[in-house]
Amino acid sequence: MDINFTPEEQAFRKEVREFLQNNLPQELSDKVLNHKELTKNDLVRWQKILYTQGWAAPGWPKKFGGPGWTPVQKSIFEEETALAGAPPLLPFGLAMVAPVIMNFGSKEQQERFLPPILSADAWWCQGYSEPGAGSDLASLKTRAERQGDKYVVNGQKTWTTLGQYADWIFCLVRTDPNAKKQEGISFLLIDMNTPGISVRPIQLLDGGHEVNEVFFDNVEVPAENLVGEENKGWTYAKFLLGHERSGIAGVGRGKMELRRLKQIASKEQKNGRPLIEDPSFRATIARIEMDLDALEMTDLRVTAAVQSGQSPGPEASMLKIRGTEIRQEIYHRIREAVGPYALPFQPQALQGETDDAVAPDYALSSAPTYFNNRKLTIFGGSNEIQKNIISKMILGL
Amino acid sequence: MDINFTPEEQAFRKEVREFLQNNLPQELSDKVLNHKELTKNDLVRWQKILYTQGWAAPGWPKKFGGPGWTPVQKSIFEEETALAGAPPLLPFGLAMVAPVIMNFGSKEQQERFLPPILSADAWWCQGYSEPGAGSDLASLKTRAERQGDKYVVNGQKTWTTLGQYADWIFCLVRTDPNAKKQEGISFLLIDMNTPGISVRPIQLLDGGHEVNEVFFDNVEVPAENLVGEENKGWTYAKFLLGHERSGIAGVGRGKMELRRLKQIASKEQKNGRPLIEDPSFRATIARIEMDLDALEMTDLRVTAAVQSGQSPGPEASMLKIRGTEIRQEIYHRIREAVGPYALPFQPQALQGETDDAVAPDYALSSAPTYFNNRKLTIFGGSNEIQKNIISKMILGL
Amino acid sequence: MDFSLTDEQRMLQDTVERLVQDQYGFEQRRGYMQAEGGFTREMWNQMAELGLLGVPFPEEIGGFGGGPIETMLVMEAFGKGPVLEPYVATVTTAGQLIADAGSDAQKEAILEPMVGGELILAFAHGERDNRYSVTQVSTRAERGGSGYKLTGHKAVVLHGDSADKLVVSGRTSGDTMDAEGISLFLVDADAKGVSIQGYPTIDGLHAAEVKLDGVEVGEDALIGQEGKAADLIELTQDRGALAVCAEAVGAMTMACDMTLDYLKQRKQFGVPIGTFQSVQHRMVEMRIELEQARSATMKAAAKLAGDSAAERRHAVSVAKHQVGVGGRFVSEQSIQLHGGIGMTEEYALAHYAKRIAMINNQFGDADYHLDRFAADMEVPETA
Amino acid sequence: MDFSLTDEQRMLQDTVERLVQDQYGFEQRRGYMQAEGGFTREMWNQMAELGLLGVPFPEEIGGFGGGPIETMLVMEAFGKGPVLEPYVATVTTAGQLIADAGSDAQKEAILEPMVGGELILAFAHGERDNRYSVTQVSTRAERGGSGYKLTGHKAVVLHGDSADKLVVSGRTSGDTMDAEGISLFLVDADAKGVSIQGYPTIDGLHAAEVKLDGVEVGEDALIGQEGKAADLIELTQDRGALAVCAEAVGAMTMACDMTLDYLKQRKQFGVPIGTFQSVQHRMVEMRIELEQARSATMKAAAKLAGDSAAERRHAVSVAKHQVGVGGRFVSEQSIQLHGGIGMTEEYALAHYAKRIAMINNQFGDADYHLDRFAADMEVPETA
């Protein structure tokens, strides 16, 4: 048993770190590290920088233009980019639809769809959830009727993250209304510019516009955009949900946010001294760091198991639960650390118009970030659902 | 709205306090305040002292020899006796079987059974739980077959608290095996000296002998010992469970234990100074006191509602949940406060043989008390069951 | 001991609850927020007409003659809006402070117009680095000419952008951290040298940064005794704390009720999600936190009405700590149990959840009150 | 990075697990407890024969040549007993301390017999008021004649009543709270002036109060450098902490497994209680705490094997804190989910639950390690 990284892995970390030092624009890391709003251009710009380096798709095999990294390398890359304040790589194209296309799509689909995902020329979004189908995804109702060489789609998707920018959406649609719940679902790729699609923004409680409703009104989709077999979509959906679990603990992100908390607590005052010197606040931070430290080891254990060929399986649910709890605790404590200055609501300042800003970015973003990240325990399978999964899969209850 | 006690109530508190100063033997309060073992004699002795004063049965109406107190007076009495370190009044006779006999028993039963309960001349225990019927009490199996003017009882009860000293046991028994679960149950009073009864001690993890199994092997019980109607026992059981909820929050006891925690933390050292001056331990104590302070008000609100004629109902479940959580937290912190001296296991010292004691009573009793009081959230309807009750009765879920 | 309300209290409660129920619908509230300063003068005037702005003041000046209990009743009902108007700023903090310690001239000039809705006040004590401190004041009030000259920066002044007059704390002697040497002044919002930058807060209210650049005020602007304001500031902050605790209880009640409704209606896997036991137990825990918050707030109100400062500090800290910790639980879990819909601005729940959470950042957060309580905590003698 | 075990490690693990499985049944264990000192010499000798007492020592003296990882493997398996023998006292703390810092003569006299099972040791550092402190030592070691004279009271010395020799800390200079001036001595348990009062501990082990009343020892009793023992004591306590963390992981595994079994078998309301969702989720949380404890313990073992004292302190504190807090949760909830049966002495669960809980009172509790971690905590520079 050796918990240290191999010399090769350490060299890889150094390489990533140096690359980030030389290539991550400070303008971007400043936005990320202060929780300022990232534009579509910011996200695309960063992915294109990585693309030039061959690192845009950490999880892809070499065959499709990925770097062919081991799970440990992926984990190192994720940690280093998070710590450096790199913008996130959006999962919808790279980590969600792409693996499905790689594994179940036709050669034509692979050639057509994968390269623009890699190069950030196509922006994808996810069409899974519906108003009546959240945790109980299989009860989805959006219909796709086969008419000759096309499908006609009617229905509604919701919680479509950053769908307002999307070129494409991958959808679960019901193709056989008479089959049992999980059967009769198909996996369809739909051009967002098709007539009949409309996108309605959902404003979130932090003031941001991050998610959308997407409506389909007799939208015609070429049959060639069906992935795999008709009515087998649930299989692909399950594959997708089970596939991309690496990084689910968010340890790198957690470390970055913990560092921010410490920095903020060093700047903010309590009774005339830095807040971080207050014994009880310091102990609160220490407790979080201890939890995160243990989680990092759990994450590495799972990563090592994957590396040696085991499936991460439901252990990933544990990582998701604890990782999101820790992150939410950090956001709460940051909001607490800034005291009354968590109150001012100046979204324009977080978009770059800082003339009227009444407090540092970290204070102005503290409450919006806290509220926005309530999503961590809701989206992507709520923590309650994760506990059900563990209960069933590991414990056999 | 006036949260202060009336002048009459304040005078009553003074009266109770003075009585305790003059009549509570220090020998007894020393045992209680240090969690040393109370003998049967200790408990009887204290009840007889109260009996002389007319206070042995705080919940009884005057008609049966009780003091006829209001709910607020009862609450004051409970708090003051707890704070003074008086031994508890065991509920099995006074607060459990007696109200059932008062409400559903015959005049003969009332005249025969109530006076010795009041004077501590008869020791009662409870025959409810069975190995297969805990939270799901109605699935009990102990059979009572009517044969002429007697019942023949066969079966087993368990978790019978202090049954080793009991003269009488009140039992739920199944008199109609063909009826539905809750129907076909009767409420029977059984003399513990009847042939066929055997008591087996259950040793608990703290080393103490507090609960028992009671076996019934063709035990003959006179039919006149049936309370109320045959097969209506479930009604009386529910009455009993719903009746004596006063004091369920244990606020007085909680205050007494909190005072002990503070005293212990004042005596124990950390880094050469009293532990209570350590900022984080002090904050831990403060948090408990705050929770208890809020609970006291909630308890008073419920008491006042009862006083004005409302039923305490499921609100009592909230008091039970929070009250037991607070008590358990105190016991944990006392165990923590004494450091390594929580380890020595010297039950003989807690029984009075203190020659070999390697630490003060409060240290030696810290771990046994902590472990023993895991029962608080299990017995008397586990906290999970309490949450189910609230969920169903208040929330309608 | 008597937890029932007097007839007058019950009428007051009914009045405010009806106002909120009838005129604080979700869409109505969104409309009010668009007005300058984040609330409408119409509603403020209506509150004045109903006598709400006079609740804690004597009847001689048009008040209701109420105390902290009445404030609690008003604020709890307001929490069900949650209401946007500058009630705590004007009435509970600045207004009561003047009623307590103002000169006769000050009272005459301020209180009646304030009760009538014509004058809005704000309590400008906080500063950039003082967090929730009572006595950390760096704003200087130098004697000069026929009065004082104020220089400093007052931070996150609730409704400071709507105020006609500000109650400002400034140091007439001593250093930033000294308990002695703090004084209070009545300052016109449009006085020379005052600049006010207002902004919305994330929970839908308003606040302002108030900069004082050599603002000259007369002798008659001093409230109470020079250099002796610390106790009054603490009392004022405790009053503010009680008011927002009661508001939190109202908002927590709504969050619990909305969540319970949702649990009964929303179906997943073919059944209402309220049939899942882990969800039921969470809901029970939310209700327990609510009841504990209600109890602690009632006690704090009673102790604010009493004359022991120690008991008041104790009870207010218990309440504000409970509202901080228990409110966080209710706010977060009400969103969690709603799922995505609970995070949307178009749905009322989010607004209650935000207000409950942000109340922790006003008048001392849970840590602040834990510190204060622990420092004061009674330790029995050891035998 | 490689979490797999070497063949040798796996064999060691198998050996110990088999020993515990075959010979530490519930009734067997109850029998062993009746022996003097709370364990049997037969089992101790068997451990010696299996080479377990030599795990962390070099092969030259009959050891296994292992490190902290191997100690972790042994102790985790021991936790499934939980095992009663004085392994931590003899091997992990006192034994390793002598191997590290003892003179050649001391090593020769102690280690081989110890590895062979002929010599039991104990680490006598704690005192009545020093809680878990490394450096708070009031026992005096005065120079005199041809050696030292020890006077003091050593508290809750694990297995002190079985020890043939004690490693005792005493102050050769300075005051009780000084970090400097602490020395370590090897003292015969039957030396004149030593009185030992043994007793069982509530978790089924044994400890003792050791009183030293002018105990005279020679120069050759000094272990390491005079006055410089603080670092060695801290290292020794950290080794003890790691050992009991691993033991806790083993015991928590058993508590989780027994609870899971119970949830599947025990029926209430006609169904297994494991079908209730709130019970399921509690069980999930217990498992998460267990996995976190396992992870933190692995890291602590790895860092004890490294050469950075700072990293060792950091990792050991994370592990012991996690075992303190998460262990409490697992211990309490395993009882809770069992209901009454979980509280009975006749049922194995109670013994795991007790051992897990009491491990918090050894080698620094959760608060101690939180304090140490927080004091050491790295704070990044602010931009």
Side-chain angles (χ1 to χ4, degrees), chain C residues 146-380:
Chain C
S146 64
Y148 301 86
K149 201 174 177 178
L150 303 176
T151 304
H153 174 167
K154 291 296 179 180
V156 197
V157 176
L158 296 179
H159 295 288
D161 52 346
S162 300
D164 301 299
K165 288 179 187 291
L166 302 157
V167 172
V168 175
S169 62
R171 192 163 277 291
T172 40
S173 68
D175 290 327
T176 302
M177 306 300 295
D178 291 349
E180 290 289 304
I182 304 164
S183 306
L184 289 164
F185 302 92
L186 193 59
V187 179
D188 282 344
D190 56 5
K192 193 163 166 252
V194 175
S195 60
I196 296 178
Q197 182 192 355
Y199 45 79
T201 56
I202 190 157
D203 51 10
L205 304 183
H206 264 243
E209 301 301 291
V210 176
K211 285 176 194 150
L212 306 149
D213 183 11
V215 178
E216 293 181 14
V217 296
E219 292 273 2
D220 58 353
L222 180 72
I223 305 171
Q225 249 189 298
E226 186 182 291
K228 300 287 181 199
D231 287 351
L232 192 55
I233 291 170
E234 187 178 64
L235 172 62
T236 300
Q237 297 210 146
D238 279 355
R239 282 182 177 140
L242 181 268
V244 294
C245 281
E247 184 186 352
V249 168
M252 286 162 76
T253 304
M254 292 300 286
C256 284
D257 289 353
M258 288 186 76
T259 304
L260 185 57
D261 278 353
Y262 188 78
L263 298 185
K264 290 176 179 171
Q265 285 159 22
R266 170 73 173 174
K267 288 188 179 181
Q268 293 269 10
F269 306 103
V271 292
I273 55 180
T275 56
F276 296 109
Q277 196 192 31
S278 73
V279 168
Q280 293 174 352
H281 286 194
R282 195 96 50 86
M283 189 71 232
V284 168
E285 285 151 15
M286 287 167 64
R287 283 292 293 263
I288 294 176
E289 294 299 339
L290 167 60
E291 290 309 319
Q292 289 282 82
R294 191 188 304 280
S295 295
T297 300
M298 288 165 82
K299 181 163 174 183
K303 294 301 180 185
L304 258 164
D307 46 18
S308 160
E311 289 186 12
R312 181 199 83 216
R313 287 162 54 97
H314 185 287
V316 168
S317 284
V318 170
K320 194 66 171 57
H321 181 267
Q322 169 63 31
V323 162
V325 174
R328 178 186 174 192
F329 184 79
V330 169
S331 168
E332 293 183 351
Q333 294 304 325
S334 64
I335 293 175
Q336 182 71 25
L337 293 181
H338 271 85
I341 191 80
M343 288 190 63
T344 59
E345 188 75 3
E346 286 97 342
Y347 190 66
L349 176 79
H351 298 268
Y352 294 109
K354 283 200 281 187
R355 182 67 190 132
I356 297 164
M358 298 315 295
I359 278 173
N360 192 42
N361 295 62
Q362 297 181 326
F363 301 111
D365 60 16
D367 280 358
Y368 173 88
H369 286 283
L370 178 61
D371 282 354
R372 185 170 84 165
F373 184 94
D376 286 359
M377 191 170 72
E378 214 176 295
V379 176

Side-chain angles (χ1 to χ4, degrees), chain B residues 130-137 159 181 200-207 267-272 275 278 280-281 284 328-329 332-333 335-346 356-360 362-363 367-368 370-375 377-379 382-385, chain D residues 30 127-133 136 153-156 158 177 197-203 207 209 266-270 276 278-279 282 324 328 331-333 335-346 350-351 353-355 357-362 365-368 370-371:
Chain B
E130 297 184 6
S135 292
D136 180 14
L137 184 59
W159 310 126
K181 232 171 156 192
R200 193 186 82 83
I202 299 176
Q203 212 194 346
L204 291 187
L205 80 174
D206 61 336
K267 287 179 193 162
E268 293 291 312
Q269 306 276 310
K270 178 172 173 182
N271 301 326
L275 178 59
D278 175 70
S280 89
F281 203 84
T284 297
Q328 290 185 336
E329 175 70 9
H332 168 72
R333 295 300 170 186
R335 179 171 69 89
E336 190 173 63
V338 302
Y341 274 106
L343 285 159
F345 182 58
Q346 300 192 299
D356 287 340
V358 298
Y362 67 73
Y370 163 79
F371 287 116
N372 180 273
N373 282 291
R374 300 313 311 161
K375 73 185 174 194
T377 46
I378 296 174
F379 294 171
S382 72
N383 283 20
E384 289 80 7
I385 293 289
Chain D
R30 287 186 127 186
E127 299 185 355
R128 177 63 187 99
D129 280 329
N130 93 337
R131 194 161 279 267
Y132 309 105
S133 171
Q136 182 177 339
H153 175 165
K154 292 297 177 178
V156 198
L158 297 178
M177 306 302 294
Q197 183 191 353
Y199 45 80
T201 56
I202 190 156
D203 51 11
E209 301 300 292
R266 171 73 173 173
K267 288 188 180 183
Q268 292 270 12
F269 306 104
F276 295 111
S278 74
V279 168
R282 196 96 48 88
R328 178 188 175 191
S331 168
E332 293 183 350
Q333 293 305 323
I335 293 175
Q336 182 71 24
L337 293 182
H338 272 86
I341 191 79
M343 288 191 61
T344 58
E345 189 75 2
E346 287 96 342
H351 298 268
K354 282 200 282 188
R355 182 65 191 133
M358 298 315 294
I359 278 174
N360 191 44
N361 294 63
Q362 297 181 327
D365 62 14
D367 280 358
Y368 172 88
L370 178 61
D371 283 354

Side-chain angles (χ1 to χ4, degrees), chain C residues 105-121:
Chain C
Q106 287 167 340
K107 290 188 201 173
E108 202 171 328
I110 300 292
L111 296 182
E112 279 209 49
M114 190 207 73
V115 168
E118 294 148 39
L119 205 60
I120 288 172
L121 308 178

